[in-house]
């Protein structure tokens, strides 16, 4: 599943990115979309089987990312429980 | 009637000198076809683009590490002086949606370079998700580092290119940083073309 992890700060997001990439997890650092509430402006997007690795990286919240709607490039974000 | 071919040997000349020589020769005229021989990739790309811009029939022949580029002016070729002046296209008012995005650095803004690069990565990702994308993305100075192998933004630039955005990197800048052979998305361009595109219409400049 495609998950977005949000962090407490940009530094925390960068640290998590380095750690996850070093562990072989493909992640993409992206600006947190406006519909997702986060103190930090950047989060990590990752295609993972579940949220465990992202939670271990220090994520504050996880969001399940939907495919872009037809004719619309923005994705949907639902809280991942 | 035999065709007149003028030849120019531009081997060893740094970019953009071959383009300047070609432009001068086209301005002088007196031939049917101009053949320029070059020995580096940036000059070859620039001449091919210049030829198309100058509305010439363009042919390129690769031979033993050299490229011979033949430019045959067509009837509708603009005067070179006009080409240099890069006039605004008809109907272009300078307003309206952004057509061209100029990235003149690999980060956005001054201050902490890590933050600047983070912001640039974020901007390019956001652009891939945007409903409307610019026609062209021009990369100059350290902005060319965004388009080379190993760049964190490479995948996003490739996505933008797949959406129809023309990505163009400054050949002089690639050469300056020793990155010409590592360009992984888009094409190489020169100052004439860059200046032309920057004058085409509304431009957003970041860097």
């Amino acid at each position: 599943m495609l998950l977005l992890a949000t962090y407490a700060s940009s530094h925390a997001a960068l640290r998590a990115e380095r750690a996850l990439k070093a562990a072989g997890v493909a992640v993409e650092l992206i600006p947190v979309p406006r519909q997702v509430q986060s103190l930090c402006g950047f989060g990590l997007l990752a295609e993972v089987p579940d949220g465990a690795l992202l939670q271990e990286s220090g994520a504050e919240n996880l969001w399940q990312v939907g495919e872009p709607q037809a004719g619309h490039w923005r994705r949907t974000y639902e809280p991942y429980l | 009637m035999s065709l007149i071919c003028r030849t120019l040997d531009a081997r060893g000349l740094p970019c953009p000198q071959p383009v300047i020589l070609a432009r001068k020769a086209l301005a002088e005229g007196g031939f049917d076809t101009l053949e320029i021989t070059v020995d580096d990739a940036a000059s070859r790309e620039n001449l091919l683009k210049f030829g198309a811009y100058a509305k010439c029939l363009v042919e390129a022949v690769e031979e033993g590490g050299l490229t011979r580029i033949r430019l045959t002016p067509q009837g509708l070729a603009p005067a070179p002086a006009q080409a240099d002046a890069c006039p605004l296209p008809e109907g272009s008012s300078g307003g309206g949606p952004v057509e061209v995005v100029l990235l003149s650095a690999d980060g956005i803004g001054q201050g902490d370079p890590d933050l600047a690069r983070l912001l640039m990565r974020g901007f390019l990702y956001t652009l891939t998700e945007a409903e409307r994308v610019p026609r062209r993305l021009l990369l100059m100075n350290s902005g060319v580092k965004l388009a080379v192998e190993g760049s964190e933004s490479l995948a996003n630039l490739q996505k933008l290119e797949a959406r129809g955005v023309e990505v163009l990197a400054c050949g002089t800048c690639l050469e300056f940083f020793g990155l010409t052979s590592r360009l992984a998305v888009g094409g190489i361009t020169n100052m004439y073309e860059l200046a032309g595109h920057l004058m085409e219409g509304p431009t957003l400049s970041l860097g």
Side-chain angles (χ1 to χ4, degrees):
Chain A
M1 68 180 68
L2 189 60
L3 291 181
L4 172 69
T6 56
Y7 296 83
S9 69
S10 298
H11 292 290
L14 284 166
R15 275 197 303 272
E17 183 197 25
R18 281 193 294 270
L20 287 163
K21 282 187 171 174
V25 183
V27 293
E28 182 167 23
L29 191 75
I30 69 164
V32 173
R34 69 187 86 179
Q35 59 268 48
V36 172
Q37 289 188 340
S38 169
L39 287 175
C40 166
F42 282 82
L44 293 181
L45 199 61
E47 184 70 46
V48 285
D50 56 50
L53 281 171
L54 293 173
Q55 278 166 337
E56 286 169 20
S57 75
E60 283 206 319
N61 290 297
L62 298 181
W63 304 78
Q64 191 159 355
V65 184
E67 286 302 307
Q69 297 161 30
H72 199 280
W73 284 84
R74 295 199 182 96
R75 300 171 187 272
T76 58
Y77 298 85
E78 299 291 337
Y80 174 76
L81 304 173
Chain B
M1 187 175 73
S2 64
L3 295 176
I4 301 170
C5 180
R6 179 173 170 185
T7 58
L8 287 175
D9 185 353
R11 287 177 293 176
L13 296 180
C15 186
Q17 285 188 32
V19 172
I20 293 171
L21 287 176
R23 180 175 60 79
K24 284 181 179 168
L26 285 178
E28 290 164 8
F31 53 84
D32 297 295
T33 296
L34 175 67
E35 182 178 287
I36 312 115
T37 304
V38 292
D39 56 3
D40 75 278
S43 294
R44 183 189 65 212
E45 293 297 315
N46 282 340
L47 279 167
L48 293 175
K49 288 177 189 296
F50 171 74
Y53 181 78
K55 295 189 167 53
C56 293
L57 175 67
V58 183
E59 300 166 277
V61 180
E62 305 282 344
E63 203 173 86
L66 301 176
T67 306
R68 284 184 287 134
I69 294 168
R70 293 193 188 109
L71 305 180
T72 305
Q74 304 297 290
L76 298 174
Q82 290 172 332
D84 287 355
C86 305
L88 287 172
E90 251 180 71
S92 174
S93 63
V98 169
E99 295 285 346
V100 177
V101 173
L102 167 66
L103 304 180
S104 56
D106 60 350
I108 294 177
Q110 308 301 309
D112 188 282
D114 288 339
L115 176 61
R117 283 191 286 268
L118 176 68
L119 296 175
M120 183 61 84
R121 287 170 62 186
F123 172 73
L124 288 172
Y125 171 82
T126 306
L127 214 51
T128 68
E129 295 281 304
E131 289 170 64
R132 190 185 182 284
V133 291
R135 283 172 57 198
R136 291 191 181 87
L137 202 54
L138 308 180
L139 307 174
M140 295 181 77
N141 208 316
S142 62
V144 299
K145 295 179 179 178
L146 297 162
V148 302
E149 296 161 3
S151 158
E152 299 275 11
S153 292
L154 182 57
N156 286 326
L157 288 176
Q158 288 167 335
K159 282 182 197 170
L160 288 170
E161 193 176 54
R163 287 189 63 187
V165 179
E166 186 179 20
V167 180
L168 293 171
C170 158
T172 303
C173 310
L174 284 165
E175 183 186 310
F176 181 89
F177 291 114
L179 294 171
T180 306
S181 63
R182 290 180 53 200
L183 185 71
V185 63
I188 298 174
T189 188
N190 61 26
M191 191 59 83
Y192 289 99
E193 196 180 16
L194 287 165
H197 291 322
L198 288 170
M199 298 298 287
E200 276 175 0
T203 298
L204 168 69
S205 178
L206 288 172

